Amino acid sequence: MYPEDLKYTAEHEWLKAGEEGPVRVGITDFAQDQLGDIVYVQLPDVGSTVRAGDACGELESTKSVSDLFAPVNGTVTAVNEALADQPDLVNSDPYGEGWLLDIEVEDADEVAALMDAEAYKGQLDQS
């Protein structure tokens, strides 16, 4: 349920870092389940600078509107354009087609400092 090759935040975002280039960001299966059916996704513009911990978008569901928080400092290099017409992809495939944005990270140590899958599961068990 929580892929081992990803990093996680306390705000329920995941990051997938490659060898080089930007990291891909989405929300976890737990987050999409808590939100309910997602009906609208608002993401930052490509080229915008995001700061770790700051709101950088919104996810609107049938239950509520929730902020999307930037997991790292960097520049947005891509957003998932498919979500404009199919926001429910975040629910049906949160780790695949439901990704949200790509960020060119300023400092790779920020990614390394995030939780691994085991630590994230431990946080969920405590709440």
Side-chain angles (χ1 to χ4, degrees), residues 19 22 24 41 55 57 63 70 80 82 89 113-114 122:
E19 292 295 314
R24 179 144 287 177
V41 177
K63 293 181 182 178
N80 187 347
L89 287 172
L114 296 173

Side-chain angles (χ1 to χ4, degrees), residues 4 7 10-12 15 36 47 68 78 80 84 88 92-93 103 124:
E4 298 289 330
K7 292 290 198 167
E11 291 78 28
H12 310 289
L15 277 81
L68 170 67
N80 187 347
D88 59 316
S92 63
D93 192 10
I103 300 173
L124 292 178

Side-chain angles (χ1 to χ4, degrees), residues 53-124:
D54 287 353
C56 66
E58 290 182 344
L59 301 170
E60 183 177 335
S61 72
T62 54
K63 293 181 182 178
S64 66
V65 175
S66 297
D67 285 329
L68 170 67
F69 295 98
V72 291
N73 295 326
T75 303
V76 177
T77 59
V79 296
N80 187 347
E81 303 286 351
L83 299 179
D85 296 324
Q86 293 179 281
D88 59 316
L89 287 172
V90 176
N91 294 112
S92 63
D93 192 10
Y95 300 110
E97 295 298 314
W99 65 278
L100 299 173
L101 62 142
D102 290 347
I103 300 173
E104 187 66 49
V105 180
E106 289 178 8
D107 181 356
D109 290 342
E110 286 184 272
V111 176
L114 296 173
M115 290 183 273
D116 62 14
E118 188 173 326
Y120 180 69
K121 286 181 228 170
Q123 173 193 291
L124 292 178

